[in-house]
Each structure stands twice: as C-alpha cells, then as structure tokens.
C-alpha cells in the first residue's frame, strides 16, 4: 500500500513541484544521486573507479514533451561521453528514451539516439537504454532492436524487468540474438494484468531468467539487484554452467549496499555502480523510497536532524 502511494507520488506533478524546491529534500536525495552537475557525477565516478568499481552514468530526466528540450539532453550526454573518453574512466552511460523524445516522436528519439551512439561508439562507451513503465516496454524493445540491427550499433543494450509476465519470453528472444541485457526486478507502479503482484513471483522469475539466459555463450548479462538471495542464486547458476567472468557483471545503484559492491569486486567479479545526476532527481528518488519503506525513516530522520 505504502509502496503504491509513494510510486503514485513519484508521478504526481504537484508533489514533484513541492519537493523539488525543498532544499532539505534535495540534500537528502544526495544519498542516491551524485549531485546536480556533470562535475558532481564525474567526481563520484573518479572515486569509485579508484576503488576498483565501474560506473554507468545516468543524466536524470524522463517524459520530455518539447522537442527543443531534447537538444540539451543530447548535449549533456555528448559532454559526458567526451569526459569519459578524455579521462579514460571506462564508464558506460544509461538513459531513458522518454528523456530523448519518445513521447514526441519515434523519429526524433531515434535521431537523438543515433547521435549519441555514434559518439559513444567512437569513444568505446557502452550505452544502456533503461526500461520505463510497461506503457513503454514494447516501444523500448523495438527502438533498441532498430538501433542494433537497422543502424548497426553494437554498443547498445537495454533493460528487462522480472516483474513483467512477458519478460521470460523477451529474454529467450534476446538470448538467441546475443544481446547485452541488464536484468532488474522493476520499479514502476504496474497492474496485475501485466506484472506479478507478489514479490515471491518476481524473485522466482528473476532467478529462472538468470539461470536460462546466462547459458547462452553469445549474450551478456548485467545482474542488477541488491537482493542477496538473487546474488547467491546467480552465483549458483554461474558456477553450475561454468560461465566466464567476462560474460556477466553485477550492478547496483549508487548509495545502496556500497559495502557489498566492494566485496563482490574483491571476489573478482565485475561490479558496476549506476550513478545518476542532474536536477530532475525527484521521480528517481521517490522510486528509491518506494523500494524500501525503511528509507522513509531515513528521510524523516535526516530532515529532522538537519
Ligand atoms: P529488493 O527490492 O527485493 O531489495 C532487496 C534488498 O536490497 C532490500 O532488502 C534492501 O536491503 C536493498 N534495497 C533495495 N532497494 C533499496 C533502496 N531503494 N534503498 C535501500 N536499500 C535497498 N528499474 C526499472 O524499472 N527500470 C530500470 O531501467 C532500472 N535500472 C536499474 C539499474 C540498476 C543498476 C539497478 C541496480 C536497478 C535498476 N532498477 C530499474 C531498479 C530495480 O528495478 C529495483 O527496483 C531495485 O533494484 C530494487 O530491487 P532489488 O533487486 O534490489 O530487490
């Protein structure tokens, strides 16, 4: 119930306007967000790199509805890619298609993506298309396949959410195509017509997908979870199918289970931290609160102790 309410708030314009101008809320959001500027994000990236962790940088934003606003998004990503190259940070980037104009037109979005992917390819920077709510699943997969197959970009991957019923079949198709996929549980408010309502079912599908997908020698899997049970199950599958460490990586969000990130890295696994930055932190922050009600106490405590 609380999760659904917080996810509703993450989409409510009035709540966004209220919180985004609230200085203390901005400060508390810093637990999950590197900062508002590109330099903030690069500082965090440099530090994580010096500790042996890889990074995927995400310029926060979604649901852009004016074509001219997407130009600024493209420019920021181009600067980001250029910094990654110049400083040899070895980072990837993550992005949302509605930040790049998908709600306005697919052509605009594809053109923006082609500009970014061309620069990213020159700089040897991998790009992952985040997965938004189920209203965008089909379109996101279609755009991903067009960029990969029609335009020939091999540096692009996308995200699949284990809470959707359809995901098992999607992952079977992606395995056959040798895709680069990040598997997460899913962070949006979804109806029982498209997604499992019970956590146990989401977890079960997560484990089954990992076990099946990882067996395909041509595909690459990003195991994106903080859930120790999922991590242990993935390790069992990796050992059972003798999967080399070059064919998968563990991924976690910035500010969540940092110690575990370092432990996995010390065990010799590739670990990548998803580092978001930018002024549009509100929906991202609310989804993090919704994932774990205990975060609400952290939020309240931080506000009152400020
Ligand atoms: P689960 O929610 O069961 O949590 C397991 C444990 O992890 C908790 O008990 C707690 O210890 C810890 N934990 C989890 N969330 C926490 C939080 N917010 N604060 C503190 N502790 C927390 N989703 C999506 O819909 N589209 C996307 O593109 C992405 N992209 C993405 C990239 C990466 C790298 C990650 C790690 C995650 C995403 N997600 C996402 C989010 C994902 O769908 C999911 O909502 C969260 O990862 C939480 O799910 P867990 O697998 O961690 O399990």
């Amino acid at each position: 119930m609380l999760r659904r309410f917080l996810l509703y708030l993450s989409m409510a314009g009035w709540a966004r306007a209220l919180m985004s101008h609230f200085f203390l809320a901005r400060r508390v959001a810093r637990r999950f967000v590197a900062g508002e500027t590109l330099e903030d994000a690069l500082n965090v990236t440099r530090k994580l790199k010096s500790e042996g962790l890889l990074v995927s940088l995400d310029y926060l934003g979604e649901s852009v509805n004016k074509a001219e606003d997407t130009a600024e998004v493209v420019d920021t990503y181009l600067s980001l890619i250029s910094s990654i190259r110049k400083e040899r940070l070895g980072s990837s980037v993550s992005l949302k298609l509605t930040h790049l104009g998908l709600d306005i037109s697919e052509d605009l979005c594809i053109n923006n993506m082609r500009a970014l992917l061309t620069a990213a390819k020159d700089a040897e920077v991998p790009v992952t298309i985040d997965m938004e709510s189920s209203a965008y699943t089909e379109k996101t997969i279609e755009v991903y396949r067009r960029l990969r197959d029609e335009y020939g970009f091999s540096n692009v991957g996308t995200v699949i959410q284990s809470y959707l019923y359809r995901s098992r079949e999607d992952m079977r198709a992606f395995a056959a195509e040798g895709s680069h996929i990040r598997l997460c549980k899913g962070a949006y408010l979804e109806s029982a017509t498209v997604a499992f309502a019970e956590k146990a079912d989401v977890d079960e599908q997560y484990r089954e997908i990992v076990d099946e997908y990882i067996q395909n020698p041509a595909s690459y899997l990003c195991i994106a979870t903080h859930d120790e049970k999922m991590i242990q199950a993935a390790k069992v599958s990796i050992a059972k199918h003798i999967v080399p460490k070059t064919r998968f990586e563990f991924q976690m969000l910035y500010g969540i289970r940092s110690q575990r990130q370092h432990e996995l890295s010390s065990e010799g696994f590739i670990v990548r931290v998803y580092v978001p930055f930018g002024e549009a932190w509100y929906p991202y922050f609310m989804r993090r609160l919704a994932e774990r009600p205990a975060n609400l106490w952290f939020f309240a405590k931080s506000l009152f102790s400020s």
Side-chain angles (χ1 to χ4, degrees):
M1 201 59 182
L2 185 55
R3 175 177 176 270
R4 295 189 85 79
F5 180 60
L6 290 167
L7 286 176
Y8 155 74
L9 286 181
S10 76
M11 297 178 295
W14 64 268
R16 179 196 299 232
L18 195 75
M19 283 271 279
S20 302
H21 294 103
F22 188 21
F23 167 73
L24 289 177
R26 280 217 309 266
R27 218 169 69 185
V28 177
R30 284 294 285 261
R31 173 181 161 188
F32 302 112
V33 174
E36 295 199 344
T37 67
L38 178 56
E39 197 46 38
D40 290 333
L42 292 173
N43 281 336
V44 167
T45 305
R46 290 179 196 116
K47 179 166 183 293
L48 292 170
K49 183 180 180 242
S50 74
E51 296 167 0
L53 300 172
L54 288 174
V55 164
S56 191
L57 282 154
D58 169 47
Y59 177 43
L60 289 165
E62 49 204 86
S63 314
V64 167
N65 52 26
K66 285 196 211 120
E68 56 272 28
D69 290 348
T70 66
E72 181 271 332
V73 181
V74 172
D75 284 349
T76 303
Y77 271 112
L78 291 177
S79 305
L80 183 55
I81 289 164
S82 157
S83 300
I84 294 171
R85 172 190 226 159
K86 208 160 57 198
E87 295 194 38
R88 297 169 199 253
L89 293 171
S91 311
S92 61
V93 301
S94 294
L95 46 81
K96 289 185 174 48
L97 293 183
T98 66
H99 202 194
L100 287 150
L102 187 63
D103 283 337
I104 304 160
S105 91
E106 188 170 324
D107 282 350
L108 171 73
C109 180
I110 291 262
N111 286 340
N112 284 335
M113 284 299 293
R114 286 175 67 194
L116 291 184
L117 285 168
T118 302
K121 189 176 164 191
D122 283 352
E124 294 181 32
V125 172
V127 175
T128 301
I129 303 172
D130 284 350
M131 189 56 81
E132 301 178 63
S133 75
S134 61
Y136 295 98
T137 309
E138 194 59 40
K139 265 271 172 273
T140 303
I141 290 176
E142 184 193 315
V143 169
Y144 161 63
R145 285 204 171 107
R146 278 189 68 192
L147 291 165
R148 191 192 61 190
D149 302 338
E150 191 179 324
Y151 296 105
F153 289 108
S154 56
N155 57 330
V156 64
T158 192
V159 177
I160 290 294
Q161 300 147 321
S162 74
Y163 65 14
L164 294 185
Y165 303 136
R166 60 174 286 166
S167 291
R168 190 102 186 249
E169 284 312 311
D170 285 333
M171 285 299 270
R172 283 189 178 143
F174 282 140
E177 295 162 18
S179 309
H180 183 118
I181 300 294
R182 170 187 295 156
L183 180 67
C184 66
K185 290 191 189 178
Y188 294 82
L189 192 56
E190 299 292 357
S191 94
T193 57
V194 294
F196 292 111
E198 297 298 323
K199 179 173 159 49
D201 295 326
V202 179
D203 291 357
E204 186 54 24
Q205 175 146 279
Y206 195 101
R207 289 191 199 91
E208 286 170 3
I209 289 176
V210 170
D211 192 68
E212 199 173 311
Y213 187 83
I214 215 154
Q215 295 183 47
N216 191 301
S219 47
Y220 191 88
L221 183 64
C222 305
I223 304 158
T225 182
H226 316 92
D227 188 338
E228 197 53 40
K229 292 194 293 306
M230 299 304 110
I231 294 169
Q232 292 307 330
K235 282 184 170 183
V236 169
S237 295
I238 288 157
K240 184 172 72 179
H241 304 299
I242 320 173
V243 185
K245 284 181 174 161
T246 48
R247 285 224 348 264
F248 67 91
E249 63 190 53
F250 287 102
Q251 296 190 343
M252 294 191 200
L253 301 177
Y254 176 67
I256 303 179
R257 299 206 73 196
S258 307
Q259 195 185 329
R260 191 67 182 115
Q261 296 166 14
H262 287 100
E263 285 165 8
L264 285 168
S265 170
S266 308
E267 289 172 42
F269 293 110
I270 300 173
V271 179
R272 192 179 300 271
V273 184
Y274 182 102
V275 175
F277 72 98
E279 291 175 13
W281 50 267
Y282 173 77
Y284 179 87
F285 175 61
M286 292 305 286
R287 289 196 288 272
R288 303 294 76 82
L289 288 189
E291 276 156 8
R292 194 164 177 251
N295 285 344
L296 266 185
W297 294 114
F298 155 79
F299 181 49
K301 245 176 28 203
S302 308
L303 286 185
F304 288 117
S305 63
S306 301

